[in-house]
Amino acid sequence: MEPKKIKNALISVFYKDGLEDIVRALNDNGVTIYSTGGTYKFIKDLGIEAVTVESLTGYPSILGGRVKTLHPKVFGGILSRRDMFSDGEQLNEYEIPEIDLVIVDLYPFEQTVASGAAEQDIIEKIDIGGISLIRAAAKNFKDVIIVPSVDRYAEFLNLYNEQEGCTTLADRRRFATYAFGVSSHYDTAIFNYFNHDEQLPMLRIGADKCTTLRYGENPHQKGFYYGDLDACFDKLNGKEISYNNLGDIDAACCLIDDYEQTTFAILKHNNACGLACRESLLDAWKDALAGDPVSAFGGILITNRTVTRAVAEEMHKIFFEVCIAPDYEPEALEVLKGKKNRIILRRKNFRMSERMFRNVLDGVLVQDRDTVAPRAEELTKSVTSTPVTPQMASDMAFATILVKHTKSNAIVLAKSGQLLASGTGQTSRVDALRQAIAKAQGFGFDLHGAVMASDAFFPFADCVEIAHEAGITGVVHPGGSIHDQDSIDYCEKNAMAMVITGIRHFKH
């Protein structure tokens, strides 16, 4: 099909940034511009002539602006099929101009919800006329080009200038695809607002921003990230963030958010291999690294405090992929940027998703994020006669948070605010415990006085027996086994404190 010349345009937008250049280009090409309300005033203030929609329809804007463009003289001009003689006859009969270009930018519904506005203000930001214009123009892409948001202004202006005021069918179809993306996302946001408490068992997800990754989990798999990384981090250095990096970064942020003290953590494959809470960040780093200096190689580092030069110099001694912190001293950044591929992220105050999603079979599993994070004062009641000391309660809270973020079956051994070792992703809890003990002893840790945290109950007493033989004196777990009493009895006989939380923390 031959390129189509734009002769008439309808413009009705909320955001006008970037619109001026388009309006001037249209005017220079003799395009008749129809417009509404604030957009009409904007165009007139540029010294450019425009026609009000009211003068086209013969009706004023009514109901406080709720009804402006919803009229046959508007939608007839958009939806008419140029290759159908009867459509042309009706346009002539009712004096309806053909509209070749529609530019719309919808009311900012999502931004209004995010601002915490009152419900009435939110409802008023549900665009009716704009969304109808978008759908009508996109449906008739054979003849009409739709610019559905401020994000597409620049792209449209470029092609308009390059093609001397004409559009091709391929252009119009591409912009129609953009349009239906905008309309579906907009409706999804509205639906999710109304269905926040999930009266209806329906899932709607809308994500407009997509980053194409180098590959997925492995080089032979394609990978994409749907989300806005710029809203989460300032990327200060390093190579492109990978699919696997993103999984580790998410795990690291979720983990560190559960600790209030000065904390440093090192993660590999979504699991912590080192973590310590200390008065000083330098000590936290050194003790986190001591937890497993082997696995730390190529890991993800995260802290909840500003990285100083002294800490950066110690970190710089090992190879790691990513560092995440709320901020960095300028001298620290200078040190860390010594490796050009090292990814350095400054974390922003963004909100983690409240839900977690996983595709299975022909559908999607959805669950609430596990946000339960026990505090020491909640873990003081032992089910044995051996009391829980303040330090033990602190270590139990520390270890329970860690085990919550560790792949099941999981066991965490901790002492004095330091991860000694963890057994991760084992098919039996006994294997997880033996793995943790072997690792801790292999790195020279003394397990006497340490605590053991389990993500789920102990099916039998064998785990507490093995823990006792290694020197562990405190146990924290959810309970719930029909053999809980066997584990309690063993701890009672061997002067071990045990706290049962009643909360399981599987992670698969």
Side-chain angles (χ1 to χ4, degrees):
M1 295 179 68
E2 292 291 323
K4 286 184 177 289
K5 189 82 173 178
I6 293 174
K7 294 174 286 188
N8 297 309
L10 172 62
I11 307 176
S12 180
V13 302
F14 188 86
Y15 288 115
K16 298 165 183 66
D17 296 344
L19 184 63
E20 179 179 348
D21 290 342
I22 295 177
V23 171
R24 292 194 182 281
L26 294 172
N27 185 63
D28 290 345
N29 280 279
V31 175
T32 300
I33 300 174
Y34 297 89
S35 194
T36 61
T39 308
Y40 173 79
K41 182 179 183 303
F42 172 84
I43 295 170
K44 291 291 287 184
D45 288 347
L46 295 175
I48 294 173
E49 287 301 314
V51 179
T52 64
V53 167
E54 290 88 342
S55 64
L56 171 64
T57 64
Y59 279 85
S61 172
I62 62 173
L63 306 182
R66 281 189 165 197
V67 181
K68 293 191 287 279
T69 58
L70 297 169
H71 193 280
K73 280 204 168 184
V74 174
F75 283 86
I78 296 170
L79 287 165
S80 67
R81 293 154 290 191
R82 310 311 196 248
D83 59 355
M84 187 170 289
F85 180 76
S86 60
D87 281 10
E89 280 190 322
Q90 287 187 314
L91 293 191
N92 291 331
E93 179 182 356
Y94 296 106
E95 299 180 336
I96 300 173
E98 292 178 345
I99 295 175
D100 315 297
L101 164 67
V102 176
I103 303 177
V104 175
D105 187 66
L106 299 170
Y107 291 160
F109 178 81
E110 288 179 281
Q111 295 91 323
T112 305
V113 172
S115 73
E119 179 158 273
Q120 187 54 43
D121 294 327
I122 292 171
I123 299 304
E124 288 304 316
K125 287 297 185 288
I126 298 176
D127 206 313
I128 302 301
I131 204 77
S132 301
L133 291 170
I134 286 174
R135 290 178 62 84
K139 176 177 179 176
N140 201 27
F141 70 89
K142 283 181 62 179
D143 300 303
V144 180
I145 187 164
I146 169 66
V147 181
S149 77
V150 65
D151 296 333
R152 299 298 169 187
Y153 289 178
E155 182 180 352
F156 169 75
L157 181 61
N158 287 338
L159 77 85
Y160 184 77
N161 288 332
E162 289 173 2
Q163 296 170 188
E164 300 179 340
C166 295
T167 64
T168 66
L169 180 60
D171 295 331
R172 297 190 295 275
R173 187 180 186 94
R174 183 172 75 258
F175 274 77
T177 304
Y178 295 151
F180 286 119
V182 168
S183 66
S184 64
H185 180 87
Y186 198 76
D187 285 340
T188 292
I190 296 169
F191 171 80
N192 287 334
Y193 171 76
F194 278 94
N195 201 46
H196 184 265
D197 296 327
E198 294 186 346
Q199 310 97 306
L200 303 179
M202 300 179 184
L203 175 64
R204 299 287 186 274
I205 300 173
D208 281 349
K209 294 193 176 182
C210 176
T211 301
T212 300
L213 305 174
R214 294 198 305 274
Y215 50 80
E217 201 161 6
N218 300 292
H220 63 278
Q221 296 170 271
K222 292 182 179 179
F224 305 90
Y225 173 70
Y226 291 91
D228 186 1
L229 280 178
D230 291 336
C232 303
F233 305 101
D234 290 319
K235 186 167 179 280
L236 307 177
N237 189 70
K239 62 184 180 180
E240 180 184 337
I241 299 174
S242 72
Y243 182 100
N244 291 327
N245 288 155
L246 287 168
D248 285 329
I249 289 167
D250 176 74
C253 290
C254 291
L255 171 63
I256 205 74
D257 284 351
D258 276 345
Y259 289 95
E260 297 175 355
Q261 313 99 303
T262 298
T263 305
F264 222 118
I266 306 169
L267 289 87
K268 286 287 287 291
H269 299 289
N270 298 183
N271 296 297
C273 57
L275 190 145
C277 299
R278 294 291 181 262
E279 289 296 321
S280 80
L281 187 61
L282 183 59
D283 288 340
W285 161 251
K286 289 180 178 179
D287 287 345
L289 180 61
D292 189 344
V294 175
S295 296
F297 181 86
I300 307 293
L301 315 184
I302 189 166
T303 181
N304 54 6
R305 298 292 187 269
T306 297
V307 175
T308 64
R309 181 183 181 92
V311 175
E313 287 175 342
E314 291 299 314
M315 294 164 58
H316 190 61
K317 293 177 181 178
I318 72 166
F319 167 71
F320 59 89
E321 288 257 339
V322 181
C323 179
I324 310 164
D327 209 350
Y328 304 83
E329 291 182 353
E331 298 82 2
L333 268 181
E334 185 179 345
V335 172
L336 294 173
K337 287 182 177 180
K339 299 290 186 181
K340 68 176 183 179
N341 287 332
R342 179 181 287 160
I343 298 168
I344 303 173
L345 302 177
R346 179 166 54 212
R347 191 175 177 190
K348 296 180 180 179
N349 185 26
F350 69 94
R351 184 178 179 182
M352 300 289 285
S353 170
E354 297 175 357
R355 293 294 174 84
M356 301 177 72
F357 304 87
R358 176 180 292 182
N359 61 301
V360 296
L361 304 175
D362 67 342
V364 179
L365 286 174
V366 183
Q367 67 172 349
D368 295 336
R369 190 177 293 278
D370 185 353
T371 58
V372 175
R375 299 294 174 236
E377 57 269 24
E378 301 169 348
L379 303 174
T380 58
K381 186 176 180 180
S382 177
V383 294
T384 71
S385 59
T386 300
V388 177
T389 67
Q391 181 60 57
M392 186 181 290
S394 177
D395 285 339
M396 284 182 173
F398 173 95
T400 300
I401 290 171
L402 251 174
V403 84
K404 180 185 89 170
H405 292 280
T406 304
K407 187 173 177 63
S408 299
N409 286 312
I411 292 288
V412 164
L413 307 180
K415 184 179 178 181
S416 301
Q418 181 184 21
L419 170 61
L420 304 183
S422 59
T424 305
Q426 299 302 302
T427 52
S428 81
R429 203 155 302 282
V430 171
D431 285 345
L433 175 57
R434 285 176 173 152
Q435 180 191 57
I437 291 172
K439 284 191 69 173
Q441 293 174 340
F443 288 118
F445 287 113
D446 180 6
L447 291 175
H448 288 84
V451 303
M452 170 178 70
S454 176
D455 60 336
F457 65 63
F458 299 113
F460 305 101
D462 47 6
C463 282
V464 293
E465 293 172 11
I466 295 168
H468 173 249
E469 291 168 2
I472 292 163
T473 55
V475 178
V476 57
H477 70 115
S481 168
I482 59 173
H483 297 295
D484 273 351
Q485 195 59 48
D486 293 345
S487 295
I488 295 170
D489 290 345
Y490 184 90
C491 289
E492 177 66 38
K493 291 175 184 177
N494 291 279
M496 298 172 71
M498 176 184 281
V499 173
I500 295 178
T501 66
I503 300 174
R504 191 180 71 184
H505 291 293
F506 272 163
K507 183 185 178 188
H508 295 106

